[in-house]
Amino acid sequence: MARIAGVNIPSGKRVVIALQYIHGIGSNFAHKIVEQNNIDASRRVNELSDAEVMAIRETIDREYRVEGDLRRETSMNVKRLMDLGCYRGLRHRRSLPVRGQRTHTNARTRKGPAKAIAGKKK
């Protein structure tokens, strides 16, 4: 099992799919990383040599912001919005949808389970 950017990559999967287990690397970036290192996309992680794994690790460290750094940056951006007191920051603070979705109905994931209101039924 290879370890890249502090994440154990599953060894039985294809390289492109396994790289997506790293926070901050999606399908697009995974394909680019594989192309940069001249690795066949259909190969499995357990078929890679140590040198190839090292090359992938170095490419990710050099060119991409992943895992802890990315999570920290994202949380700092949200914190900045909340400190500014802008509309998006207020929505984050109240844990409501930030991007203009309706909340009269729906938005249950963001708002949490429904709370019963006494005397609502007529």
Side-chain angles (χ1 to χ4, degrees):
M1 186 175 280
R3 190 168 175 83
I4 301 174
V7 177
N8 290 330
I9 304 296
S11 56
K13 296 192 181 283
R14 291 184 17 245
V15 179
V16 175
I17 303 301
L19 284 175
Q20 293 177 39
Y21 278 67
I22 301 170
H23 179 76
I25 295 181
S27 176
N28 243 357
F29 281 162
H31 281 285
K32 285 180 185 175
I33 291 166
V34 167
E35 284 175 17
Q36 283 176 349
N37 293 304
N38 298 323
I39 297 171
D40 184 30
S42 63
R43 286 179 62 193
R44 307 268 169 182
V45 174
N46 55 9
E47 297 170 359
L48 295 177
S49 67
D50 290 338
E52 289 171 327
V53 172
M54 198 65 174
I56 290 172
R57 190 176 298 136
E58 287 171 359
T59 303
I60 290 172
D61 289 342
R62 185 176 59 245
E63 297 181 21
Y64 300 99
R65 188 174 291 128
V66 292
E67 284 300 323
D69 295 337
L70 181 61
R71 291 180 204 271
R72 193 174 312 107
E73 183 182 341
T74 307
S75 68
M76 289 303 291
N77 288 341
V78 170
K79 222 170 273 173
R80 178 179 51 83
L81 290 171
M82 287 165 50
D83 292 342
L84 283 173
C86 65
Y87 183 75
R88 282 173 58 202
L90 294 175
R91 301 299 282 183
H92 275 292
R93 197 177 301 151
R94 295 177 187 161
S95 68
L96 291 169
V98 177
R99 298 186 178 178
Q101 297 92 331
R102 66 178 289 136
T103 57
H104 179 70
T105 60
N106 301 337
R108 283 276 56 113
T109 302
R110 189 79 174 140
K111 290 166 69 173
K115 300 166 196 81
I117 299 171
K120 177 80 172 172
K121 207 176 209 181
K122 281 192 175 181

